[in-house]
Amino acid sequence: MTAEFSRMWPDGLEGALGQLRVANLTTAQCIGITTVVLLVSLLYRYASPQIDPREPPAVKPGIPLVGHIVGLVRHGVDYFEALRKSQRNPVAAATLPMLNGKVYVLWDTPMIHSAIRHKNLTFDVLGMEFAQRVFGLTDVAMAKLWGPDHDIETSAAGVMMQRIKAAMQGQYLHRMNVTALDYIADQLNDMDSAGLKIENLYQWLLYFMTTATSEGLYGKDNPIRQDPSLVDALWEFEGNMQPLFLGIMPKLIARKAYVNREKVISALIPWYMSRKDQAPDTAEVLKVRANTAREFGFPEEEIGRLEMALLFVATTNTIPTLYWFVTNVWLRPDLVEEIRRETLPLVKLSSREGEQRRLATLDISQLEGSAPLLVSCYRESIRLGNQSIGTRRVVHDTMLTDSAGNQHLFKAGVDVMWSVKAMHHSGDVWGQDPLEFDPKRFKEQDKFDRAKKQSYLPFGGGKHLCPGRNFAFAENLGFVAALVVGFALQGLDEENVRLGIATIGEAVAKPPTDARGGAVVIKRRQGWEDVDWKFTC
Ligand code: HEM
């Protein structure tokens, strides 16, 4: 008899049957119920994972075996924080039993930083699993990604990830920025005196910035620009992909995501097969990934499928972030004025020989140093909107130390998670109104203490620190700076803007469908009607 059973029925089987008989049940019913209870308690005991006393303490779920899974499904990215608050004494980390496995959750900020940087904790393996399930890579393709040694460091996937870092810096980053910003400038320059009537701000930003971002990746022969219905397909896939994480029967359980994914992939496959990635204006990161795949014998016809991942990571967070940035700024007319005063000196106006229109040149590389309020609004929008769950897989048993000096054992093969939302929204760190948008929060460096620095993790860290963050910065800041100086955005109402809750797997929250900015008009500002925009880096 199990300990759980003894606790529930201290007088043993006889006592249990006796109590059930009091409830006027037949002997057969009593035996049936008792058998079920016994089976559940046996399952609970033997299916529960073994936990070493050096591992973080176990937090058992209310519903045996599946309680934490139910909690994650119900509360999404808020579950870990709810669990932390439910603990009588604060703990640095916990082990969450799930079915016959377990997951570690970290709450101690310094220990989260150790986890992010530790060489034994990696994202690569999780990334591979994600790619196979979400983008539908075949077993042959996966075998090529893993390589014969099945060692992540020497695998095609590992080498690819090491190589892309350099491919998104310096001259390569510059080329991506220029190509994407050229597209943004062309669209702004096309605007006539009547302006642009937009029915739904979020939807418009999706189209506009997905095309700009894909232009930065694919260059002028951009498959997304050639078929704008692919933008819809990409975001329909993105918004419905969660069931694909299960990796079973994708056509059946994730029909919408599946159909739209295949639509995007069927445009990318011929693009890569005809080697359009080798054109001089495609992003270096795109070339490096495709060339590494070929070097490791990855099937040519699956490169387009693998590379949907790049399009996905480049857009999924950048564009919702831009929405929060735009709405946070334009809901505050005084702030728009203040940013305009700050940014105006960075725009050089010049006349062109033989041209009636003047040229407004904005050097993006100056924004970081010379537009601190604009940059602060961007970071503050990211702080509020970014609600990711950080994740690593432990590859070798590892000890990590929490801020109180206690050591915890993290066992190989188990996933470690932490809530970035909890850190970004913590009142202990950010003060009394952590959920308020404070435009100057990131400008006032003297108030920016160590706790705030440590608790701001929108781009992850360690060897997986987001390599696309500088590209996203250039696109988002360049667009907003030009909009502030040369254009007016009219009709934005706070009734139409509300922060959503990210689902598991999303880093940046999307606005709920009834709060996507509504209808707005973008017009050239008085005195700026005869201007063409140009971005330099
Ligand atoms: C505001 C926009 C963005 C946000 C908030 C964001 C956020 C993140 C986060 C949280 C991670 C995981 C880091 C970790 O676990 O330590 C990540 C990884 C990554 N991001 Fe971004 N990202 C953004 C834009 C981009 C763009 C524009 C690109 C590409 C053009 C990109 C490419 C990647 C890649 C390739 C990785 C995987 C890195 C690795 O595992 O080594 N991201 N990003």
Side-chain angles (χ1 to χ4, degrees):
M1 197 180 300
T2 67
E4 284 79 9
F5 186 83
S6 311
R7 262 201 307 278
M8 279 188 275
W9 308 103
D11 300 331
L13 200 57
E14 267 304 300
L17 287 170
Q19 285 186 38
L20 289 168
R21 274 199 205 96
V22 172
N24 273 342
L25 298 175
T26 64
T27 305
Q29 284 170 325
C30 293
I31 291 174
I33 292 172
T34 312
T35 311
V36 170
V37 171
L38 195 58
L39 281 176
V40 168
S41 66
L42 281 173
L43 192 68
Y44 191 40
R45 181 176 170 83
Y46 291 108
S48 295
Q50 295 302 306
I51 296 174
D52 188 302
R54 292 168 302 161
E55 287 180 73
V59 173
K60 292 217 168 167
I63 309 170
L65 307 174
V66 293
H68 291 309
I69 298 173
V70 173
L72 279 167
V73 172
R74 272 189 63 199
H75 302 284
V77 293
D78 290 334
Y79 184 61
F80 293 151
E81 186 57 3
L83 213 55
R84 183 185 71 83
K85 287 187 179 148
S86 73
Q87 301 305 298
R88 219 172 285 150
N89 300 313
V91 281
T95 305
L96 310 187
M98 290 185 190
L99 299 173
N100 65 340
K102 56 189 168 188
V103 158
Y104 300 121
V105 54
L106 308 186
W107 288 300
D108 181 79
T109 304
M111 193 156 69
I112 291 172
H113 279 267
S114 309
I116 288 179
R117 283 178 175 75
H118 205 289
K119 66 176 174 27
N120 291 351
L121 276 68
T122 178
F123 187 74
D124 289 330
V125 181
L126 290 158
M128 302 261 268
E129 287 174 5
F130 180 85
Q132 181 167 30
R133 291 174 181 196
V134 172
F135 300 108
L137 293 171
T138 60
D139 289 342
V140 174
M142 288 308 292
K144 291 291 177 192
L145 272 188
W146 271 112
D149 304 333
H150 213 78
D151 171 8
I152 194 70
E153 293 303 320
T154 55
S155 69
V159 172
M160 212 179 256
M161 293 314 283
Q162 287 151 28
R163 288 180 182 169
I164 65 167
K165 293 194 169 58
M168 293 181 85
Q169 290 173 17
Q171 51 164 328
Y172 302 131
L173 171 65
H174 187 269
R175 187 168 75 218
M176 267 174 104
N177 291 347
V178 167
T179 322
L181 291 167
D182 273 356
Y183 173 83
I184 293 175
D186 285 349
Q187 301 305 303
L188 295 178
N189 296 341
D190 274 353
M191 203 180 294
D192 62 21
S193 55
L196 192 66
K197 286 198 174 69
I198 293 167
E199 271 178 40
N200 178 304
L201 178 62
Y202 183 68
Q203 204 60 29
W204 179 74
L205 287 173
L206 282 192
Y207 274 93
F208 183 70
M209 215 34 118
T210 303
T211 317
T213 305
S214 54
E215 198 95 342
L217 293 175
Y218 304 111
K220 298 280 180 246
D221 204 347
N222 174 2
I224 307 295
R225 183 151 31 158
Q226 284 155 12
D227 178 1
S229 74
L230 294 176
V231 177
D232 283 328
L234 176 66
W235 288 97
E236 279 294 325
F237 155 78
E238 204 266 2
N240 294 284
M241 67 179 199
Q242 270 74 20
L244 291 174
F245 297 165
L246 298 174
I248 44 164
M249 298 183 293
K251 261 192 221 179
L252 211 66
I253 63 164
R255 183 93 199 136
K256 223 175 194 177
Y258 177 85
V259 170
N260 286 290
R261 174 187 89 188
E262 293 305 308
K263 179 171 175 168
V264 177
I265 287 174
S266 52
L268 295 182
I269 287 175
W271 195 88
Y272 279 95
M273 286 189 74
S274 54
R275 302 267 171 139
K276 290 191 175 172
D277 52 284
Q278 300 302 316
D281 65 342
T282 61
E284 188 65 15
V285 58
L286 187 118
K287 288 191 212 299
V288 161
R289 284 179 58 96
N291 287 340
T292 309
R294 290 183 185 114
E295 185 185 318
F296 280 76
F298 191 86
E300 185 78 34
E301 66 283 3
E302 282 213 52
I303 296 181
R305 183 171 291 281
L306 175 69
E307 287 311 281
M308 185 173 169
L310 181 62
L311 177 62
F312 169 78
V313 289
T315 48
T316 182
N317 297 319
T318 308
I319 297 160
T321 297
L322 175 63
Y323 174 77
W324 300 121
F325 186 22
V326 166
T327 51
N328 282 326
V329 169
W330 267 275
L331 281 174
R332 296 168 176 81
D334 293 348
L335 180 61
V336 176
E337 283 300 323
E338 212 177 327
I339 296 177
R340 191 171 283 149
R341 281 196 297 278
E342 177 188 80
T343 319
L344 194 58
L346 306 179
V347 177
K348 292 203 169 53
L349 274 171
S350 54
S351 331
R352 292 173 290 176
E353 239 186 76
E355 289 268 356
Q356 286 191 332
R357 299 180 67 78
R358 292 177 297 160
L359 190 68
T361 310
L362 177 59
D363 183 354
I364 300 300
S365 63
Q366 289 193 342
L367 291 174
E368 175 96 58
S370 306
L373 182 59
L374 179 73
V375 174
S376 173
C377 290
Y378 181 58
R379 301 214 162 115
E380 178 71 340
S381 300
I382 291 179
R383 180 184 73 82
L384 289 171
N386 190 301
Q387 307 182 356
S388 52
I389 295 286
T391 314
R392 295 287 186 266
R393 170 83 42 90
V394 185
V395 283
H396 301 292
D397 286 5
T398 301
M399 299 298 290
L400 293 178
T401 310
D402 66 27
S403 49
N406 300 315
Q407 293 221 311
H408 304 266
L409 170 66
F410 294 86
K411 301 279 281 181
V414 181
D415 291 346
V416 181
M417 298 185 178
W418 56 90
S419 165
V420 173
K421 181 177 182 181
M423 296 162 92
H424 281 189
H425 291 189
S426 160
D428 292 344
V429 175
W430 302 100
Q432 277 180 345
D433 302 312
L435 300 184
E436 281 298 305
F437 176 81
D438 174 355
K440 302 202 168 130
R441 204 187 290 272
F442 284 79
K443 191 182 170 204
E444 292 165 343
Q445 286 299 325
D446 51 322
K447 293 192 196 151
F448 216 79
D449 55 22
R450 189 176 155 78
K452 290 191 176 75
K453 277 187 194 135
Q454 283 205 324
S455 299
Y456 187 64
L457 264 180
F459 297 106
K463 85 170 187 162
H464 297 291
L465 174 69
C466 172
R469 66 199 184 287
N470 295 327
F471 177 55
F473 180 95
E475 283 189 290
N476 285 348
L477 274 279
F479 172 60
V480 169
L483 211 59
V484 156
V485 174
F487 299 84
L489 190 149
Q490 297 162 346
L492 186 64
D493 188 323
E494 64 182 341
E495 296 242 311
N496 290 329
V497 179
R498 196 170 69 252
L499 186 63
I501 299 176
T503 55
I504 298 283
E506 273 179 349
V508 181
K510 313 239 167 47
T513 43
D514 63 342
R516 299 198 155 180
V520 296
V521 175
I522 299 181
K523 276 190 167 165
R524 289 176 181 273
R525 283 179 62 229
Q526 212 180 357
W528 292 80
E529 296 91 342
D530 64 334
V531 158
D532 279 342
W533 285 87
K534 183 170 172 51
F535 296 98
T536 58
C537 309

